[in-house]
Amino acid sequence: MDVLRLTLRQLQIFMAVARTGSTASAAEAIALSQSATSSAINELERLLSLRLFDRTGRRLLLNDNGRALLPRAQALLEGAVDVERMGLAPEEQLQMLRIGASTTLGNHVLPRLLAEYLGDRHAKAASWHARLAINNSAEICARVAAFELDIGLIEGPSHEPALEVNPWLRDELVLVSSPTHALVQSTRTSGKPPTIDELRKAVWLVREQGSGTREASDAAVLPHLGGYQRSIELGSSEAIRSAAALGLGIASLSRFVIDDYVRDGRLIVLDSEMPHTDRQCYWVVHRDKHFTPALKAFVSLLERSAKG
């Protein structure tokens, strides 16, 4: 049997430096002196006969070798953590799962999933500290790719090559506005849906770049409009929904977001000359991710919810 020369502590220090970009910040994060941190990185590079970082002043930036080591080191460390967790209660394993979701799914779908996933376990536990992250799709994918999240739920395709992308729910995008919007009044008068030219001249309420909703709505709308002549960019679909209900403009939003506003009359779905649009939602994990029992249970729930 080969004698192992590397230690898990060296890999942990390597991960900390890769994450923070300096031995000083890494040392603070892992409660180690800066000199010991630097020595551990130098020894790791000596043992591997590879440079892992490019030095630029006080910054250490991963080079090709470091980027190749990163997922392998993370997988080894996660495996070691799993060994340490083997004696923990199932409830404690569940709360360690780190879930991320893009904003629409995080605000409107994830709470229901969590209620089914956790049941009453968290109410019975002496302590509970689950970690959830809600951000736009690009940020969630980046954090899953960096092993900062175990799994991500996103509203559009991923552009991170390190991720395994799995189709999940389908969502419908619809045009909405206030019932008092001029386009609605025009439609009621003429009996015809708004024309492309009328839509082009309207004020559009849109999400920020990087949002799955923005990517999907742009793909649905811009081939017909050619561009937004007038637009207001907002950082969440909920803000857009409220702005549309107040008559500030029209928007292309998820059914998950607008159904309750439509039911109580604050928004109306606009018929238009543009075709119906839906989009695929996905769950993503790192290609090198080790599936713990907790992660397997959550993925099984996602698969059941897609069939239901």
Side-chain angles (χ1 to χ4, degrees):
M1 179 182 294
D2 293 336
V3 177
L4 296 177
R5 299 178 298 163
L6 303 182
T7 67
L8 291 173
R9 185 58 168 167
Q10 287 172 328
L11 295 178
Q12 187 181 42
I13 294 169
F14 163 75
M15 292 293 298
V17 174
R19 182 170 60 251
T20 63
S22 76
T23 54
S25 298
E28 184 177 351
I30 59 178
L32 199 64
S33 70
Q34 184 176 357
S35 61
T37 302
S38 298
S39 296
I41 293 299
N42 292 335
E43 178 64 8
L44 179 60
E45 291 182 323
R46 187 190 68 78
L47 290 172
L48 294 175
S49 299
L50 293 171
R51 283 279 188 174
L52 302 173
F53 296 93
D54 291 327
R55 275 73 171 173
T56 57
R58 296 184 178 182
R59 299 289 296 172
L60 276 72
L61 304 176
L62 285 175
N63 60 20
D64 291 345
N65 295 327
R67 287 191 293 272
L69 175 60
L70 189 66
R72 294 173 171 86
Q74 180 68 36
L76 287 171
L77 291 172
E78 287 192 349
V81 171
D82 282 343
V83 171
E84 292 184 342
R85 290 176 179 171
M86 287 177 65
L88 296 177
E91 289 78 9
E92 292 173 334
Q93 293 180 10
L94 289 177
Q95 69 172 305
M96 293 174 183
L97 190 61
R98 301 166 301 174
I99 304 170
S102 53
T103 50
T104 295
L105 296 174
N107 288 325
H108 300 279
V109 179
L110 184 56
R112 171 177 52 81
L113 291 173
L114 286 176
E116 183 173 350
Y117 179 65
L118 298 177
D120 61 354
R121 295 187 185 95
H122 59 300
K124 295 178 178 179
S127 64
W128 191 272
H129 305 287
R131 285 190 286 173
L132 308 174
I134 298 177
N135 210 311
N136 65 45
S137 295
E139 177 64 19
I140 293 299
C141 288
R143 294 188 64 185
V144 175
F147 289 102
E148 295 174 5
L149 295 171
D150 298 313
I151 187 168
L153 311 178
I154 60 173
E155 301 152 27
S158 166
H159 304 296
E160 291 281 355
L163 299 188
E164 175 187 315
V165 183
N166 301 273
W168 180 38
L169 301 177
R170 294 201 70 84
D171 181 25
E172 182 185 11
L173 290 176
V174 294
L175 293 184
V176 294
S177 74
S178 163
T180 61
H181 193 280
L183 284 180
V184 176
Q185 304 306 315
S186 175
T187 296
R188 288 172 177 164
T189 301
S190 66
K192 298 178 180 179
T195 65
I196 295 297
D197 188 55
E198 287 175 320
L199 293 172
R200 186 179 294 115
K201 294 176 181 177
V203 175
W204 283 80
L205 308 172
V206 298
R207 282 288 303 276
E208 78 285 0
Q209 295 290 345
S211 157
T213 294
R214 174 64 180 269
E215 188 171 350
S217 61
D218 281 358
V221 168
L222 292 185
H224 305 280
L225 300 185
Y228 300 114
Q229 291 186 12
R230 296 184 292 168
S231 66
I232 302 173
E233 186 175 294
L234 297 100
S236 74
S237 294
E238 289 67 36
I240 291 176
R241 177 184 63 184
S242 297
L246 291 171
L248 294 181
I250 64 175
S252 174
L253 286 175
S254 161
R255 279 281 187 188
F256 294 138
V257 175
I258 57 93
D259 270 349
D260 55 343
Y261 271 50
V262 172
R263 281 194 298 269
D264 64 21
R266 284 180 284 176
L267 287 176
I268 191 168
V269 176
L270 290 172
D271 290 326
S272 77
E273 297 179 3
M274 289 189 287
H276 166 86
T277 302
D278 65 2
R279 62 177 173 177
Q280 181 71 58
C281 300
Y282 303 87
W283 60 270
V284 297
V285 293
H286 198 287
R287 294 186 185 277
D288 296 320
K289 181 67 182 173
H290 171 70
F291 274 58
T292 63
L295 182 55
K296 290 178 182 178
F298 189 71
V299 168
S300 294
L301 173 60
L302 295 180
E303 292 173 343
R304 292 196 303 272
S305 68
K307 294 176 182 177

